[in-house]
Amino acid sequence: MGECDDVKRGPVLSRCVSVPLTLLIGLFTCFIHTGPAVALPNGFGDGKVADVPAPTALDFTPDGRMLVTSKSGKLYVVADGRRSEALNLGPGVCSNSERGLLGVAVDPDFEDAGHNYVYLYYTYKKFGECPEGDPANPRNPVNRVSRFVMSGNSVDKTSELVLINNIPSPNGNHNAGDLKFGKDELLYISVGDGGCDYNERTKCQYENDASRDRNILLGKVLRIGRDGDIPAGNPYTGSGSDRCNQTGRTVRGNNCKETFARGFRNPFRMAFDPDAAGTSFRINDVGGQRWEEIDRGEAGADYGWNLCEGRHDNPDRSGKVNCSGNIYTGPIHEYSHSSGCESITGGAFVPDGFWPSSYDDAYLFGDYVCGKIFKLTPKAGGGLRKELFARRLGAGPIGMTFGPYN
């Protein structure tokens, strides 16, 4: 492994070839299943819904069709037990390393005329090639967020409206790429730190401080309207803030108006609480060599990377800053790699009343390396209780969501 590669394993999505989608009584997940039968709690079942090559994310239309992104740049529709290809972005996508078609979201008003939109996050082959592990290469691809029109089971490639463009992908990894709509009907976008610094190209892993730079979209969670506009409640809309939707950045020292929160390493997946009164969500941020974390999404918050990993010092800068959560926003849950689980991936809230009452207010999350799903529930008096939900998944769930259940 080169000096710019992660020391730890995963999530290396390029390993996920011909991965089945699995249904856990309403919970849909994407993962590699290579070992013995999945071990689940009593009363739960495990059944394959469809085979999709290298799935990365999934969402549902209101009528129950499942949309699944494939790393290669294809979007599939799964309906009535059948899989069909809805869109092929073709040779315009870089899918090496952790790049590719990485996220999908369905418009909140999809059922209404004129709102049959799907939103995709993908790595655009801007210069006709896909360099990897070469942060100084001026021909590196970029990540973008686009809106497309869907008709029936097809998505019109020519309908693409690019909402966010030119997010750097300097090293191939740490692209993040999750897309989710909140109850505020605004689009939230997770962006990784790029693996190596876009500006100081020899600085990777803990040395990469791209997420500290306010003037670039790397290492951030973004929030925009459905047409790409800036919501009035975004935290950086005053003086010293600029749009970064076309160039991916602005002048040094200024903020990007698209930024909702910052200080992330690779915020691989987000999950929104369907039972909250407003928009409430969690961010699963993949850690470095020591800690994985789950963060509560807060406007204007700084979660500390690369100064902190969870509530712990960057080991290369031990004692330099206070990582207790008093200065930088700390996680609501973290776990050490000493547990054998080393790469947090998909997460989902269990809708209240859908499973037995012991799952009300529960948050599920998976780990790619140990191939397990865990359950977090609030404890009386504060804090969270962590319990094992499922194991023997092969590799942990890359994406996780509940299907239509009304």
Side-chain angles (χ1 to χ4, degrees), residues 16 19 30 85 118-119 128 190 209 224 264 294 304 335 366:
C16 306
V19 184
C30 309
E85 183 180 300
V118 294
Y119 301 75
S190 73
D209 63 358
I224 59 174
F264 299 100
I294 299 172
Y335 61 94

Side-chain angles (χ1 to χ4, degrees), residues 39-267:
L40 297 168
N42 291 334
F44 285 80
D46 169 29
K48 184 170 69 174
V49 175
D51 282 314
V52 173
T56 51
L58 66 162
D59 199 5
F60 287 87
T61 60
D63 61 7
R65 288 174 292 165
M66 183 165 60
L67 305 184
V68 189
T69 54
S70 178
K71 193 172 182 292
S72 65
K74 294 182 179 181
L75 176 68
Y76 293 96
V77 175
V78 179
D80 300 323
R82 298 179 181 178
R83 186 195 81 188
S84 61
E85 183 180 300
L87 174 68
N88 184 359
L89 292 172
V93 173
C94 286
S95 58
N96 56 331
S97 187
E98 294 175 13
R99 298 168 173 148
L101 177 52
L102 304 176
V104 59
V106 173
D107 193 277
D109 295 326
F110 187 86
E111 289 180 303
D112 298 339
H115 291 277
N116 52 326
Y117 299 128
V118 294
Y119 301 75
L120 300 176
Y121 185 117
Y122 69 95
T123 310
Y124 174 53
K125 193 186 296 184
K126 183 176 181 179
F127 300 104
E129 56 186 277
C130 304
E132 178 182 339
D134 188 8
N137 196 317
R139 299 181 65 82
N140 275 318
V142 297
N143 291 310
R144 59 166 47 166
V145 179
S146 293
R147 190 183 77 185
F148 295 83
V149 174
M150 185 172 183
S151 179
N153 285 342
S154 297
V155 173
D156 182 3
K157 186 176 179 179
T158 66
S159 69
E160 180 176 15
L161 174 65
V162 180
L163 303 180
I164 304 284
N165 206 3
N166 290 304
I167 303 171
S169 180
N171 197 53
N173 58 342
H174 295 193
N175 299 283
D178 206 14
L179 300 177
K180 293 286 190 299
F181 277 98
K183 285 192 173 181
D184 52 13
E185 297 193 344
L186 300 174
L187 181 62
Y188 292 75
I189 305 159
S190 73
V191 183
D193 68 1
C196 292
D197 197 292
Y198 68 101
N199 191 37
E200 301 172 273
R201 277 69 178 253
T202 62
K203 293 188 175 182
C204 306
Q205 182 61 303
Y206 286 98
E207 292 185 320
N208 176 10
D209 63 358
S211 63
R212 312 304 317 150
D213 293 344
R214 296 173 176 266
N215 67 309
I216 197 158
L217 299 177
L218 293 170
K220 314 292 190 297
V221 167
L222 316 179
R223 184 173 70 174
I224 59 174
R226 288 181 280 181
D227 295 325
D229 55 313
I230 299 299
N234 270 22
Y236 305 109
T237 56
S239 61
S241 298
D242 302 299
R243 288 302 309 262
C244 299
N245 57 315
Q246 295 299 321
T247 60
R249 67 189 74 189
T250 183
V251 297
R252 184 167 291 277
N254 279 11
N255 292 294
C256 291
K257 290 185 177 181
E258 294 81 5
T259 300
F260 178 81
R262 66 190 186 102
F264 299 100
R265 180 177 180 269
N266 192 23

